Amino acid sequence: MRRKPSSSADEDNDGSIAEPPQPNHDEKKKTFSTAKYDVARHSDTLDRRKVEKALPPTQLTPGTWTSPSKSPSSRKDSQSPTPAQADERMLNTRTRRRFGTRSPWSCSLFTLTATLSAVVLMLFILHSFMTQQPDSKGCDMYYTRSLFFNFADFDTEHTRFASKYSLHLYREIGFDEDPKVKGVPVLFIPGNAGSYRQARSLASETVQYYYNTVQQDKEALKAGATSIDFFSVDFNEDFTAFHGQTLLDQAEYLNDAVAYILSLYHDPRRSHRDPGLPDPSSVILIGHSMGGIAARTMLTMPNYQSNSVNTIITISAPHARSPVSVDADLVRTYQQINDHWREAYSQKWASDNPLWHVTLISIAGGTLDTTVPSDYASLTSLVPRTHGFTVFTSSIPGMWTGADHIQTTWCVQLVRPIARSVFEALNVHRPSQTKPRAERMRAFKKWYLAGLEDTAEKTLPHKEPSTLLTLEDQSNSINPAGKRLVLRNLGRSGKPKAHVLPIPPQGIPGQKKFTFLSNLPLDESMDVGHLDVLFCSVLPLQPGHSAALFSMDIDLSEGRAGSTRLACKNAASDQISLPASYRTSVYPFDKTPPFSYLQYDLEDLAEHQFVAVVDKASEPTHAWAVAEFSDNSESVVHVKTGLQRLLVFGTRFKLPAGRPLVMRFEVPVLRSSLLAFRLRMGKQACGDEAELFTPLLRQYLSEPHESRFFVNVKEANISLHGIAPFMPPPLRCQATSNGVILQFWTDPTCDSSIDVSLQVDVSGSMGKLVMRYRTVFAAFPLLIVALVLRKQFKLYDDSGVFMTFMESMDSCLRTSLPLLFLALTFLAISLALSSAATASTPPTGWLGWGSNATESAVDYTKNDLLLGSQDPSFWFLVPMFGLLSVGFCIIINYTALAIISLLQIPLRMSAVQRAGNKRETAKRTSLPAFSATSPKRRIITASVLLILVSTVIPYQFAYLVACIVQVATCIRALRHTRENRSETNHNFYNYAHSILILMLCVLPINIPVLVVWIHNLAVHWLTPFSSHHNVLSIMPFILLVETLTGGKMIPRITTRLTYVTNILFFFLAVYAAVYGVTYAYRLHHLINCVATWLVALHFSDNDISLSGLTRILEGNNNDDGDGDVKKRP
C-alpha cells in the first residue's frame, strides 16, 4: 500500500490549518497504522525542529490519533481563509507550539513554589497534630477470665439476620458460670468493625463489683440492686460507619435481640430469677462508637417494642453528625434519627413524647480519640439536660485522663464508674428494672461529673441532722468571723478536737461561699477516719436525749458542765475528689491519694450556724486542712478581651497576694475547638516547708461537660471541645457555652502574688485542624481538578490543543483559582456571621412558642456549608485548604504519572524483545496503538457489567473497574505518545490522564461502600444492597471509559455548546467546595453528570444510530472525508 503524504490528514479539527487536497485518486485511504508508520519514519530521518522550520504552517505533520472529521464543504471553505481566520489560525499555531507537546512532568517555577508551600504546610500540620499539645495516656488495662454462651436458638424464627449476627451471654470464671439468667439485662453493642468481646472488661467489673461489694451491702440490696446479666452482640465486625443500610440492619436485629432477651425471663427453664420479682420489661443498652448510634436507631425502627429501652450509655459515639458522608443512606439515616429525637423532646406534654422515660449519656474520650472527633459526641442539639448530657473522660472523678477510641472499652478508670452508675440506677422491684428517670440522672451525674458544676446538686440541704456534737471551751477553738482556718499536722493534740467557724448571716452585702480543702478523705460513717466536716445548729436538748434522736454522738466536753450541744449534718456525701498537687506531681491520674474538696453557696447553709472541722487523728500526721468563707467578687474574675486581641497579644492576669483558696477566671471569647493556648504560671513564692500544696488548675467547659486538670502547674496546654465546625446548633432550651473557665486552687498561706499569662499556641492550633477537617480532602481536591479540566477544555475548544494537567494547573493558579478562593472566603465570612447572629437572637414572638422553647425554628443544618465555621475569624481557612488541595492534587498527578510510567516499562521491554531486526521493527511500528476490539465484545462486556450492577454487585465495584481500565488506557496512550511524538497523540494522552485524575479524586468516596460489600461476601451474607444498584450511577463512566479504550479523542466544540462544558465544571467546583464535605456522596453523581456530557460529545461526532454506536465503541470514525481512519490490522 502506498504511503499517503504526511500532510494529507485533515488538521482543521485539531485547530491546525488544512492543506488543499492532492489529486491522487488511485491511493487508498490511509489507515491508522500507516499514519503511525509515516510519523515514525519521519522521526527517524529528520530533525523535527528542522521539519517544522522548513515546512509552512499548512504542511505540519498531523497526529496519528483518530480525530473528528468535518464535512467536505467545511474543508472546501478552509482553502480560502479570511484575514480574521488567518489570524486566528496563526494564534492557534502558536498555542500548539507552546502547549502541544510539552512533557506532562514539566512544572513552572510558580506552580513548584505553590506545591512546595502546600507540602511544607501539610507536613507542619501533621507534625503539630502528632507532637504538639499531646495528652498523656493514663488508662490501666483490665484483665478478665471471660466465658461466653452463644444462644443458638435465637435463629431465623426470631430474626432474619440470624445467619449473619449472633447473641452471647457473658459469665466470669470463678464467680458465675451459670448460663441461666437471674438479674437485670444489660446489652453491649460494639461499634464499627468492633467485636462482641469488647464487652469483657465492663461485664467483668459488674460481676466482680456485685459479688465483692453489692451483695454484702444490705442498703443497696434493699434499694433494688441485684446482679446483672451482661449480653453482647456479635456483628461480625460490620463496617457500620460507612453504610446506612448496615446501621438499619443492626438496629432491626437489636430490637429482635431485646425481645428475645426479655422472653428468657419468662421461661423457667432459662431463668433462676426470684419469682417474687416482676419480670423485666426493658433492657439497659451500652454502645461503643457506632454501637451507640445503633442503640438510638432502635427507638425509631418499626419493630421497636415500646418502653423496652429506657437507659442508653454510649462511649465515643458520634451522635451529632455522621463521621463520614460517603453514603447517602448513612447521611439520610442520621438525619432521620436526629429529627426523631428532636421532635420527641419538642413535645409540650410528656404523654406525647415517646422518649420521655429515656435517659441518654454520652461519654467522649477527648483529644486522644483520633478515630472519631469527640466534638461529635455532643448531645446539646439532641437531648435536653433533664434527659441526658455529654461528659469527657477527663472529667470523671478518679479518672482525670483522656482515652483513645479502643481504650474506652477496657480502661479500668472508666469501666468502674460505668459499672457503679448502672448498679445505682437499678431497682429490681419495678418492671423497668431501673429507678425513675430523675433518680437515674442523679446517679449518673454523681458518678460522671466532677461535682464542681454550677448545676451540681448538694445533698446537705436534704439531710436530717444525724450527729450530736458536744463541745467544751478547752476542746475546741472558735475562729473569728471572716478569718481563714488553716490546720497543719493534724493529730498533734493526741485527742479529737473541733475547730468551729461561724457561718455569716444571710443577706450581707456580696455573695459568699464556703470552701474546704484537705489531703485527707472525709468519713461519712464517722466511725473510722481522721477528719469530719459538720454543719451544725445549736440544739437546746436535755441531757440523755441525744441517743434517742441522733445516730452519732461526739462528746468532746469530757462530761464537764457548761458545754454546748450542736445538731449537725455530715458533709462527707458532698465531698469532691481533686487530683493531688505536690512538687512531685506530674499527672492528675498519678496514684497519689486525691484531695477532698467541699464547696457550698451561702444559701445552702441557711439553716446552719456553725461549721465544725473535727480532727480525730490520735497521733501527729502530715495531713492538713483549709476552710474559709470568701466573697464571689474576690474569687470570680471576668477576663474582658476580644478574640482577635487574645490571638494577637494574649492576655495576662494576676492572682493577688491576699487571694481566696479558689479563684475562677472566665474567658467568654475562648470557645472554639480549633484554638490551642499555652498558659504559663509564675512560681508560688513561699518556703517548701511551709507550702501545703502546689497550684492546681482546672479547665472547664459547661456544654459539653469537659474538665481537664493540671497539677503542679507551671505550664499548661489549654484546648477544648467547644464550638466546632459542622456541628448543629444546640436546642433552643439549651444555653450556649459561656466560654472556658480557668479555676485555680493555690496555697492561701503563701502570701505572694502569682502572674499568669495566656498565649495562643499556633503550632498546637494547626494540629487541631486534622480531626475537624480531615474530610475536607474528599471534596476540595475535586474543586481544583474541576477547574483544571475546565481550563483544558476551554483551550482545546479554542485552539485544538489539550494541554497537560500541570500546564492547566499553572494557568488556574494564576487566574481562576485565586478569584474563586476569594469569593469562597467572602461566602465563609457571610455564613459565619449569619450563624452567629442566629445563635445570639433570643426567641421572641410567635417563633419562640413561649411555653415550649425547644419547638422553635432552629436550623440544624446551617453549619453544614463550606468549612462549617461559626466564627468569621477563621476566614483564612478557605485559602489555606485551597492551597493544601492544590498540593494534594499535584501529588496525585505525579503519583499517577509515576505509576503509569513504571507500568508501561514492561510493555516497551516486551516490544523490544519481539523486534529482532529492522524488518520486525517496521512490522512493530505498523501495528495500531489500540487494538480494535470487536464491537460485539465491547457491547457484551458493558452489558454484563451493567446487569451485574443492577442485580449483584454495587456500582462502586464497577467504578473501581472503570478506574483500572482507565489506568490501562493511559499506559497504552503514554507508550504510543513516546513512540510517535505528535500533537494529536499528546492531546489524547493529556485528555485520558486528566479524566483519570478526576476519577481518582472520586474513588475515595466509593471505596468505603465497596469495603462493606466485600466484608459481607467474606461472612457469606449475599443479600444485595438495596441502594447501590442504580445502573444510571455508573453507565456514563462505563461508556466514557470504553470509548477511551479505543483511542477516541473527544471532538472540539466550536459552537455555544462550549459554555455547557464550562458551566458544568465550574458548577462541580463550587458545589464540591460548598456542599462536598457534608454531602460527599453527591459528588459521584455530579461527576456522573459530567461523564454523561462527555459521552454525549463523543457521540455527537457520529450519527445517532446502531452503526454510529458500533463505530464509537470500536474507536472508529469513518466519515465521508479524507480524515484518518483506524482499522483492524
Side-chain angles (χ1 to χ4, degrees):
M1 182 173 64
R2 287 192 304 155
R3 181 175 60 85
K4 190 174 181 179
S6 60
S7 60
S8 62
D10 180 13
E11 286 189 334
D12 192 44
N13 297 291
D14 295 349
S16 59
I17 301 175
E19 179 189 11
Q22 302 293 331
N24 189 355
H25 302 288
D26 297 333
E27 185 178 20
K28 296 182 181 179
K29 285 190 175 181
K30 193 176 191 179
T31 64
F32 183 86
S33 58
T34 307
K36 175 181 175 182
Y37 176 74
D38 293 343
V39 174
R41 190 162 60 177
H42 276 287
S43 303
D44 294 334
T45 58
L46 297 175
D47 183 84
R48 183 174 181 83
R49 290 175 296 177
K50 294 180 179 180
V51 171
E52 291 181 349
K53 183 176 180 181
L55 294 177
T58 57
Q59 295 182 358
L60 291 176
T61 304
T64 60
W65 293 91
T66 304
S67 302
S69 62
K70 289 188 176 183
S71 63
S73 61
S74 64
R75 288 194 299 273
K76 183 177 180 180
D77 296 337
S78 65
Q79 297 175 9
S80 301
T82 65
Q85 291 175 336
D87 292 341
E88 181 181 358
R89 291 178 180 180
M90 182 63 68
L91 178 63
N92 293 343
T93 303
R94 294 174 181 174
T95 303
R96 284 198 305 275
R97 289 177 179 176
R98 177 183 176 187
F99 296 107
T101 57
R102 184 173 293 182
S103 169
W105 292 89
S106 63
C107 179
S108 68
L109 181 61
F110 180 74
T111 305
L112 179 62
T113 303
T115 305
L116 293 178
S117 301
V119 171
V120 170
L121 181 59
M122 191 179 304
L123 293 177
F124 175 64
I125 292 176
L126 292 176
H127 178 268
S128 300
F129 172 69
M130 293 184 292
T131 62
Q132 299 300 310
Q133 293 213 357
D135 282 354
S136 301
K137 296 183 178 181
C139 281
D140 297 329
M141 178 72 77
Y142 201 103
Y143 297 94
T144 68
R145 301 178 63 190
S146 57
L147 180 65
F148 284 96
F149 292 96
N150 181 26
F151 292 95
D153 56 342
F154 184 44
D155 52 19
T156 54
E157 295 183 1
H158 299 86
T159 177
R160 65 190 181 101
F161 299 101
S163 61
K164 185 180 182 182
Y165 304 141
S166 58
L167 181 67
H168 302 266
L169 173 66
Y170 179 90
R171 292 300 187 216
E172 182 83 2
I173 297 176
F175 286 90
D176 185 3
E177 303 179 20
D178 185 3
K180 294 185 177 181
V181 296
K182 59 180 69 69
V184 175
V186 174
L187 178 60
F188 178 82
I189 308 172
N192 182 61
S195 169
Y196 72 97
R197 293 185 174 272
Q198 290 177 329
R200 289 175 297 181
S201 298
L202 188 54
S204 176
E205 176 62 24
T206 59
V207 173
Q208 296 187 39
Y209 182 68
Y210 171 74
Y211 284 101
N212 294 334
T213 305
V214 177
Q215 200 172 37
Q216 284 74 40
D217 190 345
K218 295 182 179 180
E219 292 296 328
L221 296 175
K222 184 179 179 181
T226 187
S227 62
I228 289 178
D229 296 321
F230 218 101
F231 296 86
S232 185
V233 180
D234 183 7
F235 283 141
N236 266 318
E237 300 181 0
D238 258 348
F239 293 95
T240 329
F242 301 153
H243 197 228
Q245 187 58 49
T246 301
L247 178 61
L248 295 175
D249 292 346
Q250 290 187 0
E252 180 181 342
Y253 177 83
L254 289 170
N255 279 325
D256 295 336
V258 167
Y260 176 79
I261 290 172
L262 295 177
S263 68
L264 296 176
Y265 294 86
H266 297 276
D267 187 355
R269 298 171 300 175
R270 311 292 297 272
S271 174
H272 275 170
R273 189 177 172 88
D274 185 352
L277 297 175
D279 292 327
S281 62
S282 68
V283 177
I284 298 174
L285 303 180
I286 300 178
H288 175 252
S289 188
M290 290 300 293
I293 309 304
R296 288 180 51 222
T297 310
M298 292 171 57
L299 280 64
T300 67
M301 299 296 292
N303 66 333
Y304 170 67
Q305 296 182 8
S306 180
N307 298 328
S308 60
V309 173
N310 67 6
T311 302
I312 303 176
I313 301 174
T314 65
I315 307 170
S316 300
H319 291 288
R321 60 180 287 118
S322 171
V324 293
S325 58
V326 297
D327 179 55
D329 284 347
L330 183 63
V331 176
R332 192 180 305 113
T333 300
Y334 251 89
Q335 183 177 1
Q336 293 172 353
I337 297 169
N338 291 346
D339 287 347
H340 175 82
W341 281 69
R342 290 169 183 147
E343 182 180 357
Y345 288 118
S346 68
Q347 301 301 318
K348 182 176 181 180
W349 305 106
S351 58
D352 298 329
N353 182 0
L355 306 178
W356 182 257
H357 62 288
V358 177
T359 56
L360 176 62
I361 308 300
S362 176
I363 303 174
T367 307
L368 289 178
D369 190 348
T370 56
T371 302
V372 174
S374 291
D375 305 283
Y376 293 178
S378 175
L379 299 176
T380 55
S381 64
L382 299 170
V383 179
R385 295 189 186 96
T386 54
H387 290 73
F389 58 86
T390 305
V391 63
F392 283 74
T393 56
S394 57
S395 304
I396 298 178
M399 185 169 183
W400 298 316
T401 180
D404 65 31
H405 203 66
I406 301 301
Q407 280 181 337
T408 53
T409 62
W410 51 256
C411 181
V412 173
Q413 295 94 323
L414 180 59
V415 298
R416 284 177 178 172
I418 292 178
R420 284 153 176 76
S421 67
V422 170
F423 275 107
E424 192 159 337
L426 298 181
N427 188 349
V428 74
H429 304 295
R430 304 176 77 238
S432 64
Q433 304 297 289
T434 58
K435 295 177 181 177
R437 176 184 52 81
E439 296 184 26
R440 274 180 280 144
M441 287 294 298
R442 191 175 296 114
F444 292 140
K445 289 179 179 179
K446 170 187 173 182
W447 285 102
Y448 299 148
L449 299 187
L452 297 165
E453 298 77 15
D454 295 334
T455 59
E457 298 182 9
K458 303 296 184 181
T459 62
L460 185 69
H462 309 289
K463 284 184 174 182
E464 294 294 332
S466 59
T467 303
L468 179 63
L469 178 62
T470 306
L471 301 176
E472 194 266 334
D473 292 341
Q474 281 73 28
S475 65
N476 68 87
S477 60
I478 300 179
N479 257 33
K483 186 178 179 180
R484 178 185 298 120
L485 173 65
V486 178
L487 303 177
R488 299 176 183 268
N489 300 326
L490 296 179
R492 287 184 300 176
S493 61
K495 60 180 182 178
K497 186 175 182 180
H499 303 268
V500 180
L501 284 79
I503 297 177
Q506 300 289 328
I508 63 174
Q511 295 182 349
K512 288 185 175 292
K513 65 180 180 181
F514 171 78
T515 53
F516 171 87
L517 185 66
S518 177
N519 60 346
L520 286 181
L522 302 181
D523 178 31
E524 188 168 3
S525 63
M526 299 187 65
D527 53 355
V528 295
H530 300 287
L531 188 64
D532 293 326
V533 177
L534 307 175
F535 290 87
C536 308
S537 302
V538 176
L539 184 65
L541 284 179
Q542 299 297 326
H545 290 181
S546 60
L549 297 177
F550 300 97
S551 59
M552 181 65 64
D553 184 6
I554 302 178
D555 189 356
L556 303 180
S557 65
E558 299 181 356
R560 299 177 183 176
S563 59
T564 303
R565 297 187 178 188
L566 302 176
C568 303
K569 299 179 182 179
N570 194 339
S573 59
D574 287 333
Q575 68 177 321
I576 301 168
S577 294
L578 297 178
S581 181
Y582 300 108
R583 289 292 179 189
T584 58
S585 300
V586 179
Y587 302 113
F589 49 82
D590 289 340
K591 304 306 179 183
T592 309
F595 291 167
S596 298
Y597 179 68
L598 290 174
Q599 178 176 300
Y600 292 101
D601 292 330
L602 196 58
E603 292 77 8
D604 297 330
L605 309 178
E607 62 183 64
H608 305 290
Q609 299 163 345
F610 301 98
V611 179
V613 180
V614 183
D615 175 11
K616 299 189 299 182
S618 58
E619 57 185 20
T621 65
H622 294 288
W624 49 264
V626 179
E628 69 177 11
F629 285 92
S630 59
D631 292 334
N632 284 339
S633 59
E634 298 177 355
S635 59
V636 179
V637 178
H638 298 273
V639 180
K640 298 180 180 180
T641 182
L643 181 60
Q644 289 75 15
R645 183 177 179 83
L646 182 63
L647 294 178
V648 176
F649 302 104
T651 185
R652 295 178 180 273
F653 45 88
K654 180 177 292 187
L655 304 180
R659 60 186 175 274
L661 171 65
V662 183
M663 290 199 68
R664 166 172 165 164
F665 292 82
E666 299 178 354
V667 190
V669 298
L670 212 170
R671 297 183 295 172
S672 175
S673 61
L674 298 178
L675 295 176
F677 289 82
R678 192 173 300 278
L679 182 142
R680 291 179 173 86
M681 193 171 183
K683 186 177 180 180
Q684 186 172 261
C686 58
D688 292 341
E689 294 182 358
E691 187 178 52
L692 298 178
F693 61 96
T694 54
L696 171 65
L697 170 63
R698 173 193 177 225
Q699 168 206 313
Y700 172 60
L701 198 67
S702 59
E703 287 292 343
H705 296 289
E706 181 185 19
S707 293
R708 299 178 64 205
F709 290 91
F710 303 90
V711 297
N712 193 19
V713 181
K714 299 181 182 67
E715 287 190 359
N717 296 323
I718 305 298
S719 62
L720 56 145
H721 294 83
I723 297 179
F726 305 109
M727 288 292 291
L731 294 173
R732 185 57 65 96
C733 63
Q734 304 276 67
T736 57
S737 171
N738 294 323
V740 75
I741 297 173
L742 303 176
Q743 199 168 7
F744 294 88
W745 285 264
T746 56
D747 188 349
T749 62
C750 298
D751 193 13
S752 62
S753 62
I754 303 178
D755 293 324
V756 180
S757 65
L758 187 65
Q759 301 286 338
V760 65
D761 184 357
V762 177
S763 179
S765 299
M766 298 297 286
K768 303 299 179 185
L769 299 176
V770 175
M771 288 301 298
R772 277 78 179 187
Y773 284 116
R774 56 184 178 178
T775 55
V776 165
F777 291 101
F780 259 58
L782 196 57
L783 176 153
I784 309 298
V785 175
L787 290 183
V788 169
L789 275 164
R790 172 177 169 270
K791 192 71 175 178
Q792 288 177 303
F793 274 97
K794 187 176 185 302
L795 182 65
Y796 176 64
D797 290 336
D798 291 341
S799 64
V801 176
F802 205 96
M803 57 181 168
T804 66
F805 186 88
M806 289 304 300
E807 289 171 329
S808 181
M809 176 71 76
D810 179 71
S811 179
C812 291
L813 284 174
R814 300 174 187 272
T815 55
S816 57
L817 278 175
L819 294 177
L820 184 57
F821 288 152
L822 181 62
L824 292 175
T825 300
F826 282 110
L827 177 61
I829 295 174
S830 176
L831 293 173
L833 291 174
S834 174
S835 177
T838 305
S840 61
T841 302
T844 58
W846 64 276
L847 287 177
W849 281 85
S851 60
N852 192 0
T854 61
E855 200 175 16
S856 57
V858 179
D859 183 10
Y860 293 102
T861 63
K862 66 178 183 180
N863 298 323
D864 290 348
L865 306 182
L866 207 56
L867 295 180
S869 176
Q870 305 174 42
D871 193 332
S873 301
F874 298 104
W875 60 267
F876 61 89
L877 291 179
V878 174
M880 187 183 75
F881 280 114
L883 177 62
L884 290 175
S885 298
V886 168
F888 186 74
C889 291
I890 293 175
I891 291 174
I892 291 179
N893 173 63
Y894 281 121
T895 303
L897 284 174
I899 293 175
I900 291 172
S901 300
L902 290 175
L903 292 179
Q904 64 93 30
I905 291 177
L907 296 179
R908 295 181 60 185
M909 295 178 62
S910 62
V912 171
Q913 292 176 357
R914 289 195 305 266
N917 49 46
K918 293 183 178 180
R919 182 176 180 181
E920 292 175 344
T921 303
K923 188 175 181 180
R924 175 178 60 84
T925 57
S926 66
L927 294 176
F930 290 80
S931 299
T933 309
S934 168
K936 180 179 179 180
R937 180 180 299 178
R938 292 192 181 185
I939 293 175
I940 292 176
T941 301
S943 301
V944 170
L945 190 58
L946 292 176
I947 292 173
L948 290 176
V949 169
S950 64
T951 55
V952 179
I953 65 175
Y955 69 78
Q956 288 83 358
F957 179 82
Y959 185 84
L960 178 62
V961 173
C963 290
I964 296 174
V965 173
Q966 185 64 16
V967 170
T969 300
C970 291
I971 293 173
R972 297 159 68 191
L974 178 62
R975 176 194 168 207
H976 183 62
T977 301
R978 289 182 174 178
E979 292 176 353
N980 304 278
R981 298 183 179 275
S982 67
E983 176 187 307
T984 311
N985 298 345
H986 279 276
N987 280 352
F988 181 80
Y989 172 71
N990 294 337
Y991 170 54
H993 179 78
S994 296
I995 294 298
L996 174 63
I997 299 300
L998 180 67
M999 296 178 68
L1000 291 179
C1001 286
V1002 189
L1003 186 60
I1005 300 175
N1006 292 283
I1007 286 296
V1009 176
L1010 184 60
V1011 170
V1012 175
W1013 179 70
I1014 295 175
H1015 175 267
N1016 283 352
L1017 292 182
V1019 298
H1020 308 292
W1021 182 255
L1022 304 180
T1023 303
F1025 296 158
S1026 61
S1027 56
H1028 299 285
H1029 297 281
N1030 186 358
V1031 294
L1032 297 179
S1033 298
I1034 194 61
M1035 181 184 294
F1037 286 107
I1038 295 177
L1039 294 178
L1040 179 61
V1041 169
E1042 282 293 327
T1043 302
L1044 294 179
T1045 56
K1048 176 68 176 179
M1049 183 60 187
I1050 193 169
R1052 292 172 56 195
I1053 305 177
T1054 57
T1055 64
R1056 292 184 178 181
L1057 288 178
T1058 186
Y1059 293 111
V1060 177
T1061 307
N1062 197 321
I1063 293 173
L1064 272 178
F1065 281 111
F1066 185 78
F1067 177 78
L1068 174 61
V1070 175
Y1071 194 93
V1074 178
Y1075 293 96
V1077 177
T1078 303
Y1079 306 100
Y1081 65 91
R1082 295 180 182 175
L1083 299 179
H1084 172 92
H1085 302 295
L1086 285 177
I1087 298 181
N1088 192 47
C1089 296
V1090 173
T1092 303
W1093 173 248
L1094 297 180
V1095 170
L1097 293 182
H1098 278 284
F1099 274 88
S1100 67
D1101 192 49
N1102 295 267
D1103 296 333
I1104 305 302
S1105 62
L1106 182 61
S1107 60
L1109 177 63
T1110 302
R1111 284 198 303 271
I1112 197 167
L1113 288 177
E1114 188 178 8
N1116 190 2
N1117 192 18
N1118 189 8
D1119 290 337
D1120 295 334
D1122 295 333
D1124 294 342
V1125 179
K1126 184 180 75 173
K1127 293 184 178 180
R1128 296 171 59 191

